[in-house]
Each structure stands twice: as C-alpha cells, then as structure tokens.
Amino acid sequence: MAVSERPVGIDELLEQVREGLDRVEPREAYDAAADGALLVDIRYAALRDRDGLIPGALVVERNELEWRLDPLGSHRAPQATGHDLRIVIVCNEGYASSLAAASLRQLGLHRATDLVGGFQAWRSQGLPVRVPGAVD
C-alpha cells in the first residue's frame, strides 16, 4: 500500500469525495425514491429513536453498510440487487453519508450518492417522517 506524501485532513478528504458524487437535495431524494432509488439510513439508533425514520428507507448502521449493500457479498440485504442500483445514503447532517457513498462507489455501486444536509434537511423540508413510537 502506498503511503501518502502528506496527511489529508477530514475536510480535504470530504471535499475530494464529494467531487465524485452527484449529491441530491431532499426533494430530489424523495423523487428518486419514488422512482425506485434505495434510501439508506446510516444514523445510529439513538438518533433514529429521537428523530424518527424516513418511511421506506432501509436502515443499515454505518459499520455494516458495505457488507449489506455489496451485490456480490454473502451478507447483502435483499435490496442490494445490482451495481446499477441508485442508492442515496442518509446520515444525520450530510457529512458521514458522503464518505459512505464514496466507499460504496469503490465497490462498484456507481450510482451511490448522498443526501445534502442529511435527515435534518429532509425533516426541515417537511418531507415524510415516521415519528418514534408511531404505529403504522
């Protein structure tokens, strides 16, 4: 493995990975999901319990993401149907999701991207949220 000539800080890394993503705004993500894109919520349980869920989103904690979405993986989720799947990663505020989407792209999921502003932007736009404790 080659060693970088100089360390890269997280802000620079984030900027670099975002250059390769076609990031989506909340309304675009909502429309993409209606057209068959897979929304994937990587927030940890305490945030989901506190703020709620996006109806229809697949919940996959960040530490399991690559294993669950790799179409070739033995631990894949049923929704991981192929490398052409449009995936929109959702974190709390839109930072960790960029890094996660870049990681999925390294696995060949070339349409993976993330939600600008994360769940908080989704909610602030008035898009659907299933509140904690609500019964469907």
Side-chain angles (χ1 to χ4, degrees), residues 43-55:
R43 294 175 301 142
Y44 53 88
L47 290 176
R48 295 191 312 266
D49 291 345
R50 182 189 76 191
D51 295 335
L53 297 166
I54 296 173

Side-chain angles (χ1 to χ4, degrees), residues 5-58:
E5 292 183 23
R6 67 174 180 79
V8 176
I10 188 61
D11 293 328
E12 184 178 349
L13 178 62
L14 191 59
E15 184 178 317
Q16 289 173 4
V17 300
R18 284 179 172 172
E19 288 175 4
L21 299 175
D22 180 23
R23 302 182 77 215
V24 295
E25 297 290 334
R27 178 56 66 176
E28 292 173 278
Y30 177 83
D31 292 341
D35 288 338
L38 180 62
L39 299 182
V40 180
D41 187 341
I42 64 169
R43 294 175 301 142
Y44 53 88
L47 290 176
R48 295 191 312 266
D49 291 345
R50 182 189 76 191
D51 295 335
L53 297 166
I54 296 173
L58 175 64

Side-chain angles (χ1 to χ4, degrees), residues 1-127:
M1 176 179 279
V3 176
S4 175
E5 292 183 23
R6 67 174 180 79
V8 176
I10 188 61
D11 293 328
E12 184 178 349
L13 178 62
L14 191 59
E15 184 178 317
Q16 289 173 4
V17 300
R18 284 179 172 172
E19 288 175 4
L21 299 175
D22 180 23
R23 302 182 77 215
V24 295
E25 297 290 334
R27 178 56 66 176
E28 292 173 278
Y30 177 83
D31 292 341
D35 288 338
L38 180 62
L39 299 182
V40 180
D41 187 341
I42 64 169
R43 294 175 301 142
Y44 53 88
L47 290 176
R48 295 191 312 266
D49 291 345
R50 182 189 76 191
D51 295 335
L53 297 166
I54 296 173
L58 175 64
V59 173
V60 177
E61 298 238 359
R62 176 63 190 100
N63 63 323
E64 297 180 359
L65 185 68
E66 291 82 1
W67 285 268
R68 302 293 287 148
L69 293 183
D70 178 3
L72 303 176
S74 60
H75 293 79
R76 71 182 173 278
Q79 296 88 337
T81 57
H83 288 93
D84 289 332
L85 181 63
R86 175 101 165 125
I87 299 171
V88 179
I89 304 296
V90 179
C91 69
N92 195 49
E93 294 181 343
Y95 295 97
S97 57
S98 295
L99 299 172
S103 179
L104 292 179
R105 283 181 171 238
Q106 289 181 316
L107 290 175
L109 293 157
H110 62 96
R111 298 179 70 202
T113 191
D114 74 316
L115 176 61
V116 175
F119 179 86
Q120 297 306 323
W122 175 281
R123 183 172 62 176
S124 72
Q125 292 283 314
L127 294 168

